């Protein structure tokens, strides 16, 4: 297996003989990454590397702060765009190394920013025109461009902050060392580099923290920005370090536990990098316990809710595990560790007698939701999952020598599978070319060229039909989903009114009455205090917020499912293939499919963005207390209904906006893919015709290429 590394570049001379030379490029890159990872894992006396992985906003850095330091030491990103890859290493001296983006990274950010600004300007003009059509005054300041591609939006944010902070490009490509007075001052000492408003934050690609802490003498922690990192170059850097990790702690947000993004990352990225050992943390578990659908079925017993939710998430992990086995994935999820973790509950446990504002708010809500439970410090500690997680990681570190010993073998096994698949594709390409160059294949060259022109008109017509069908399909599904969401609104509309009585002291004026003057003599008047019992009807504001959140989460889940079914590259590829594949002979279909797939892979598919957290603010911004006054009931009900209607409106807008973008993508496909197919197929056929004169030599070259691939396969 190790000999295969010597084959970097060995297949380059055959690129001209394959219709898809990108397979050879991919093969070379995979071999280079393998060599880098092997060199890392073979370092004498190398240190165990623990990777902290998960999507943005799953609480990775917050977890590390509590697990490792017990306080906020590590920077947590204010936005996904300001996150940076962070390495934590032991050192006698507290310091930090700040790696800035290089010039290639920055060129990409600038180009993406230009594209964002172009799309922003277009969307702004469209919004202005729409307002004018409806006779409304257009307010540019209130315009929000929420549909931009995440990569473009990320680059825009970085570039914007770069300009606002008055920076220039002189620091690009540099690595800066900063002394830290002590580890508790990390955030203060690095605020200009990792803070949300730090002057140099827009330029930071990676941070390495050297900390004088004996607990990390024997291992290195790699805190990743997120599996869904919108900054491509930073994501590539993360992937590079992922291959160097020995063990992965993977955080998955409990409320969206092991969603499709998590599944794809674990399934595709980790095994190829030799990762076989992972600890999965269902993070922010307190949010899961705070859902009405969870606590309303357990009669106020938080232990029962905790155990039930653990069972649910465990079953989901088991389902994914079975899927992995069906696909013969080398990562056996059934052997993965699973724990349930809440940094917030752990903080409440620690600060039980002196809670901060947010800690008290969450604790009060738990006590209200689980009114048949007695919350103690020890119970909160257990519910946080932190002791169990600490124990699991301690056991991991005990086994680190064994894990590292198996690391090279696992890396080879992971790369063997992916490299073999690439080589088989290359070999198949050579075999197809050899057949085309044979006497049998050459006889068809002229007729294929003659027949191709006749197919182009048919091709154009069929693609138009496919595009029209996809538009109609999406439009129908769009209306169905909006209708389904609207129909569920009534389930979340009713707010329960509650009653309470209370006593109130009031002042009453007393005095002598003059019948002639019909008035009280003030000189004789006096005031008495009387206790009055009053009854009041009120609404629990938390009830409103929970229903709003539940409704928005329901809408978000429907949006996600619809997105997965209708607007993926896979769906578009299938539609295009099914629409035109019958126009071509069997032997030509692989080429046609390849051209379609390669073209569609390059396009940007719009994503539906839906923020489920903003709707609670409609109520909270107008009424921040826990309970309404009786006079405000109608007002609260109005706010509640407004929030639900806003969810529906935003759902419609989310679907409509992505529909417009999807239509633009489909129009682009309709305009360009015919030419792509024509150029690709005619190009291949022309090459065959040109090689007709030196047929034997070309066949010999393809046979040499096949022989070289077979040599590589034997080395695996």
């Amino acid at each position: 297996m190790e000999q295969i590394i010597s084959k970097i570049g060995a297949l380059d001379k055959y690129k001209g003989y394959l219709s898809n030379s990108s397979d050879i490029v991919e093969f070379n890159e995979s071999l280079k990454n393998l060599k880098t990872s092997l060199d890392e894992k073979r370092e004498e006396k190398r240190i165990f590397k623990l990777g902290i992985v998960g999507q943005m906003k799953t609480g990775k850095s917050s977890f590390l702060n509590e697990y490792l330091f017990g306080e906020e030491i590590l920077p947590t990103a204010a936005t996904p765009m300001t996150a940076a890859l962070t390495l934590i290493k032991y050192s006698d001296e507290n310091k930090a190394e700040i790696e800035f983006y290089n010039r290639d990274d920055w060129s990409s950010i600038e180009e993406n920013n230009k594209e964002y600004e172009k799309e922003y300007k277009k969307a702004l003009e469209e919004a202005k025109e729409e307002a004018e059509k409806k006779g409304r005054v257009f307010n540019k300041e209130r315009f929000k461009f929420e549909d931009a591609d995440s990569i473009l939006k990320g680059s825009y944010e970085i570039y914007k902050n770069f300009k606002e902070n008055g920076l220039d490009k002189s620091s690009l490509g540099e690595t800066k060392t900063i002394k830290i007075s002590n580890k508790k001052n990390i955030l203060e000492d690095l605020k200009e580099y990792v803070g949300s408003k730090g002057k140099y934050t827009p330029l930071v690609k990676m941070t390495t923290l050297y900390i004088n802490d004996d607990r990390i003498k024997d291992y290195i922690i790699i805190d990743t920005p997120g599996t869904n990192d919108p900054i491509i170059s930073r994501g590539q850097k993360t992937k590079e370090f992922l291959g160097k990790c020995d063990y992965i702690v993977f955080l998955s947000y409990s409320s969206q536990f092991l969603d499709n993004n998590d599944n794809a990352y674990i399934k595709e990225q980790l095994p190829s990098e030799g990762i076989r050992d992972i600890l999965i943390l269902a993070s922010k578990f307190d949010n899961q316990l705070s859902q009405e659908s969870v606590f309303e079925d357990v009669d106020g017993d938080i232990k029962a809710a905790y155990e039930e939710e653990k069972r649910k998430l465990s079953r989901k992990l088991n389902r994914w595990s079975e899927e992995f086995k069906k696909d013969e994935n080398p990562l056996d999820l059934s052997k993965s560790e699973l724990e349930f973790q809440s940094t917030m509950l752990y903080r409440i446990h620690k600060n039980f007698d002196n809670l901060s504002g947010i800690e008290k708010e969450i604790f009060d809500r738990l006590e209200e939701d689980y009114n048949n439970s007695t919350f103690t410090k020890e119970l909160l500690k257990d519910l946080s999952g932190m002791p169990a997680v600490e124990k699991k990681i301690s056991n991991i570190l005990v086994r680190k020598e064994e894990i590292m010993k198996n690391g090279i073998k696992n890396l080879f096994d992971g790369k063997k599978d992916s490299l073999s698949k690439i080589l088989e594709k290359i070999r198949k390409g050579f075999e197809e070319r050899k057949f085309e160059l044979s006497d049998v294949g050459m006889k068809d060259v002229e007729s294929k060229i003659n027949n191709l022109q006749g197919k182009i008109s048919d091709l154009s017509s069929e693609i138009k039909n496919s595009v029209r069908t996809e538009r109609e399909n999406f439009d129908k599904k769009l209306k169905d989903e909006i209708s389904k969401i609207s129909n569920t609104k009534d389930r979340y509309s009713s707010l329960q009114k509650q009653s309470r009585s209370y006593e109130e002291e009031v002042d009453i004026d007393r005095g002598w009455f003059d019948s002639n003057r019909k008035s009280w003599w003030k000189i004789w008047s006096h005031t008495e205090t009387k206790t009055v019992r009053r009854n009041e009807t009120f609404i629990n504001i938390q009830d409103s917020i929970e229903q709003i959140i539940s409704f928005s989460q329901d809408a978000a889940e429907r949006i996600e499912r619809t997105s997965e079914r209708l607007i993926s590259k896979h769906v578009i590829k299938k539609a295009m293939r099914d629409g035109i594949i019958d126009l071509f002979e069997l032997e030509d279909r692989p080429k046609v499919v390849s051209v379609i797939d390669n073209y569609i892979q390059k396009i940007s598919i719009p994503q539906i963005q839906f923020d489920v957290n903003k709707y609670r603010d409609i109520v909270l911004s107008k009424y921040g207390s826990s309970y309404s006054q009786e006079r405000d009931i109608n007002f609260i009900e109005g706010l509640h209904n407004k929030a639900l209607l806003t969810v529906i409106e935003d759902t419609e807008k989310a679907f409509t906006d992505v529909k417009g973008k999807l239509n633009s993508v489909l129009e682009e496909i309709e305009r360009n893919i015919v030419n792509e197919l024509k150029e690709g197929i005619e190009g291949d056929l022309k090459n065959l015709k040109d090689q007709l004169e030196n047929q034997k030599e070309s066949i010999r070259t393809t046979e040499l290429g096949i022989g070289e691939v077979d040599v590589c396969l034997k080395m695996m």
Side-chain angles (χ1 to χ4, degrees), residues 66 77 80 157 347-348 460 507 534 550 592 634 681 687 689:
E66 287 302 324
E157 182 176 331
R347 288 175 180 169
I348 294 173
S460 179
D507 294 332
R534 301 188 188 278
S550 295
V592 174
N634 290 338
I681 296 170
N687 289 336
K689 189 175 179 181

PDB file of all heavy atoms in Angstrom, residues 66 77 80 157 347-348 460 507 534 550 592 634 681 687 689:
ATOM      1  N   GLU A  66     -16.046  24.599  29.115  1.00  0.00           N
ATOM      2  CA  GLU A  66     -16.480  23.980  30.359  1.00  0.00           C
ATOM      3  C   GLU A  66     -15.710  22.699  30.646  1.00  0.00           C
ATOM      4  O   GLU A  66     -15.281  22.452  31.763  1.00  0.00           O
ATOM      5  CB  GLU A  66     -17.984  23.678  30.316  1.00  0.00           C
ATOM      6  CG  GLU A  66     -18.861  24.908  30.440  1.00  0.00           C
ATOM      7  CD  GLU A  66     -18.599  25.678  31.731  1.00  0.00           C
ATOM      8  OE1 GLU A  66     -18.323  25.031  32.779  1.00  0.00           O
ATOM      9  OE2 GLU A  66     -18.635  26.919  31.699  1.00  0.00           O
ATOM     10  N   ALA A  77     -17.300  32.102  18.317  1.00  0.00           N
ATOM     11  CA  ALA A  77     -17.581  32.986  17.191  1.00  0.00           C
ATOM     12  C   ALA A  77     -18.942  33.654  17.336  1.00  0.00           C
ATOM     13  O   ALA A  77     -19.934  33.018  17.682  1.00  0.00           O
ATOM     14  CB  ALA A  77     -17.528  32.205  15.886  1.00  0.00           C
ATOM     15  N   PRO A  80     -20.806  32.610  12.020  1.00  0.00           N
ATOM     16  CA  PRO A  80     -20.018  31.577  11.349  1.00  0.00           C
ATOM     17  C   PRO A  80     -18.852  32.146  10.560  1.00  0.00           C
ATOM     18  O   PRO A  80     -17.837  31.486  10.378  1.00  0.00           O
ATOM     19  CB  PRO A  80     -21.039  30.911  10.418  1.00  0.00           C
ATOM     20  CG  PRO A  80     -22.352  31.163  11.070  1.00  0.00           C
ATOM     21  CD  PRO A  80     -22.224  32.516  11.703  1.00  0.00           C
ATOM     22  N   GLU A 157     -19.303  39.358   4.293  1.00  0.00           N
ATOM     23  CA  GLU A 157     -19.156  39.796   5.675  1.00  0.00           C
ATOM     24  C   GLU A 157     -17.690  40.020   6.033  1.00  0.00           C
ATOM     25  O   GLU A 157     -17.348  41.013   6.667  1.00  0.00           O
ATOM     26  CB  GLU A 157     -19.782  38.771   6.616  1.00  0.00           C
ATOM     27  CG  GLU A 157     -19.716  39.194   8.078  1.00  0.00           C
ATOM     28  CD  GLU A 157     -20.428  38.222   8.999  1.00  0.00           C
ATOM     29  OE1 GLU A 157     -21.381  37.574   8.558  1.00  0.00           O
ATOM     30  OE2 GLU A 157     -20.021  38.122  10.167  1.00  0.00           O
ATOM     31  N   ARG A 347     -23.469  24.868  33.674  1.00  0.00           N
ATOM     32  CA  ARG A 347     -23.215  26.185  34.253  1.00  0.00           C
ATOM     33  C   ARG A 347     -24.206  26.494  35.370  1.00  0.00           C
ATOM     34  O   ARG A 347     -23.835  27.069  36.397  1.00  0.00           O
ATOM     35  CB  ARG A 347     -23.298  27.255  33.168  1.00  0.00           C
ATOM     36  CG  ARG A 347     -22.123  27.241  32.192  1.00  0.00           C
ATOM     37  CD  ARG A 347     -22.342  28.244  31.084  1.00  0.00           C
ATOM     38  NE  ARG A 347     -21.231  28.247  30.141  1.00  0.00           N
ATOM     39  CZ  ARG A 347     -21.256  28.876  28.976  1.00  0.00           C
ATOM     40  NH1 ARG A 347     -22.340  29.548  28.605  1.00  0.00           N
ATOM     41  NH2 ARG A 347     -20.199  28.820  28.167  1.00  0.00           N
ATOM     42  N   ILE A 348     -25.458  26.107  35.162  1.00  0.00           N
ATOM     43  CA  ILE A 348     -26.463  26.319  36.200  1.00  0.00           C
ATOM     44  C   ILE A 348     -26.108  25.510  37.446  1.00  0.00           C
ATOM     45  O   ILE A 348     -26.258  25.986  38.577  1.00  0.00           O
ATOM     46  CB  ILE A 348     -27.868  25.935  35.677  1.00  0.00           C
ATOM     47  CG1 ILE A 348     -28.283  26.892  34.551  1.00  0.00           C
ATOM     48  CG2 ILE A 348     -28.892  25.978  36.806  1.00  0.00           C
ATOM     49  CD1 ILE A 348     -29.578  26.501  33.852  1.00  0.00           C
ATOM     50  N   SER A 460     -32.471  19.908 -27.626  1.00  0.00           N
ATOM     51  CA  SER A 460     -32.938  21.198 -27.130  1.00  0.00           C
ATOM     52  C   SER A 460     -34.407  21.130 -26.707  1.00  0.00           C
ATOM     53  O   SER A 460     -34.788  21.633 -25.655  1.00  0.00           O
ATOM     54  CB  SER A 460     -32.748  22.264 -28.203  1.00  0.00           C
ATOM     55  OG  SER A 460     -33.203  23.516 -27.758  1.00  0.00           O
ATOM     56  N   ASP A 507     -56.486  53.494  49.401  1.00  0.00           N
ATOM     57  CA  ASP A 507     -56.785  54.627  50.287  1.00  0.00           C
ATOM     58  C   ASP A 507     -58.177  55.171  49.998  1.00  0.00           C
ATOM     59  O   ASP A 507     -58.532  55.405  48.825  1.00  0.00           O
ATOM     60  CB  ASP A 507     -55.752  55.725  50.127  1.00  0.00           C
ATOM     61  CG  ASP A 507     -54.368  55.285  50.615  1.00  0.00           C
ATOM     62  OD1 ASP A 507     -54.309  54.410  51.515  1.00  0.00           O
ATOM     63  OD2 ASP A 507     -53.355  55.816  50.094  1.00  0.00           O
ATOM     64  N   ARG A 534     -58.956  41.326  44.658  1.00  0.00           N
ATOM     65  CA  ARG A 534     -59.208  41.465  43.231  1.00  0.00           C
ATOM     66  C   ARG A 534     -58.942  40.144  42.511  1.00  0.00           C
ATOM     67  O   ARG A 534     -58.090  39.354  42.928  1.00  0.00           O
ATOM     68  CB  ARG A 534     -58.334  42.557  42.624  1.00  0.00           C
ATOM     69  CG  ARG A 534     -58.539  43.927  43.254  1.00  0.00           C
ATOM     70  CD  ARG A 534     -57.797  44.997  42.470  1.00  0.00           C
ATOM     71  NE  ARG A 534     -57.802  46.287  43.126  1.00  0.00           N
ATOM     72  CZ  ARG A 534     -58.804  47.161  43.064  1.00  0.00           C
ATOM     73  NH1 ARG A 534     -59.892  46.856  42.379  1.00  0.00           N
ATOM     74  NH2 ARG A 534     -58.720  48.329  43.681  1.00  0.00           N
ATOM     75  N   SER A 550     -42.581  26.102  18.406  1.00  0.00           N
ATOM     76  CA  SER A 550     -42.996  24.788  17.903  1.00  0.00           C
ATOM     77  C   SER A 550     -43.531  24.898  16.481  1.00  0.00           C
ATOM     78  O   SER A 550     -43.232  24.075  15.613  1.00  0.00           O
ATOM     79  CB  SER A 550     -44.055  24.174  18.822  1.00  0.00           C
ATOM     80  OG  SER A 550     -43.537  23.899  20.099  1.00  0.00           O
ATOM     81  N   VAL A 592     -22.888  11.136 -22.179  1.00  0.00           N
ATOM     82  CA  VAL A 592     -23.943  12.124 -21.999  1.00  0.00           C
ATOM     83  C   VAL A 592     -24.195  12.363 -20.506  1.00  0.00           C
ATOM     84  O   VAL A 592     -24.274  13.502 -20.046  1.00  0.00           O
ATOM     85  CB  VAL A 592     -25.242  11.672 -22.697  1.00  0.00           C
ATOM     86  CG1 VAL A 592     -26.390  12.642 -22.376  1.00  0.00           C
ATOM     87  CG2 VAL A 592     -25.032  11.573 -24.193  1.00  0.00           C
ATOM     88  N   ASN A 634     -55.827  40.831  24.990  1.00  0.00           N
ATOM     89  CA  ASN A 634     -56.102  40.968  23.556  1.00  0.00           C
ATOM     90  C   ASN A 634     -54.849  41.371  22.790  1.00  0.00           C
ATOM     91  O   ASN A 634     -54.606  40.913  21.654  1.00  0.00           O
ATOM     92  CB  ASN A 634     -57.214  41.983  23.314  1.00  0.00           C
ATOM     93  CG  ASN A 634     -58.571  41.489  23.784  1.00  0.00           C
ATOM     94  OD1 ASN A 634     -58.791  40.282  23.908  1.00  0.00           O
ATOM     95  ND2 ASN A 634     -59.496  42.401  24.029  1.00  0.00           N
ATOM     96  N   ILE A 681     -19.578  15.970 -26.670  1.00  0.00           N
ATOM     97  CA  ILE A 681     -19.701  14.777 -27.506  1.00  0.00           C
ATOM     98  C   ILE A 681     -18.968  14.948 -28.826  1.00  0.00           C
ATOM     99  O   ILE A 681     -18.230  14.065 -29.273  1.00  0.00           O
ATOM    100  CB  ILE A 681     -21.186  14.451 -27.739  1.00  0.00           C
ATOM    101  CG1 ILE A 681     -21.842  14.106 -26.403  1.00  0.00           C
ATOM    102  CG2 ILE A 681     -21.338  13.284 -28.712  1.00  0.00           C
ATOM    103  CD1 ILE A 681     -23.343  13.990 -26.468  1.00  0.00           C
ATOM    104  N   ASN A 687     -11.857  13.807 -31.633  1.00  0.00           N
ATOM    105  CA  ASN A 687     -10.607  13.186 -31.208  1.00  0.00           C
ATOM    106  C   ASN A 687     -10.463  11.775 -31.778  1.00  0.00           C
ATOM    107  O   ASN A 687      -9.376  11.373 -32.215  1.00  0.00           O
ATOM    108  CB  ASN A 687     -10.527  13.136 -29.689  1.00  0.00           C
ATOM    109  CG  ASN A 687     -10.321  14.507 -29.074  1.00  0.00           C
ATOM    110  OD1 ASN A 687      -9.814  15.421 -29.726  1.00  0.00           O
ATOM    111  ND2 ASN A 687     -10.715  14.658 -27.805  1.00  0.00           N
ATOM    112  N   LYS A 689     -11.819  10.682 -34.519  1.00  0.00           N
ATOM    113  CA  LYS A 689     -11.577  10.791 -35.953  1.00  0.00           C
ATOM    114  C   LYS A 689     -10.124  11.160 -36.240  1.00  0.00           C
ATOM    115  O   LYS A 689      -9.487  10.614 -37.153  1.00  0.00           O
ATOM    116  CB  LYS A 689     -12.509  11.837 -36.561  1.00  0.00           C
ATOM    117  CG  LYS A 689     -12.501  11.874 -38.070  1.00  0.00           C
ATOM    118  CD  LYS A 689     -13.541  12.854 -38.582  1.00  0.00           C
ATOM    119  CE  LYS A 689     -13.516  12.903 -40.112  1.00  0.00           C
ATOM    120  NZ  LYS A 689     -14.522  13.886 -40.634  1.00  0.00           N
TER     121      LYS A 689
END
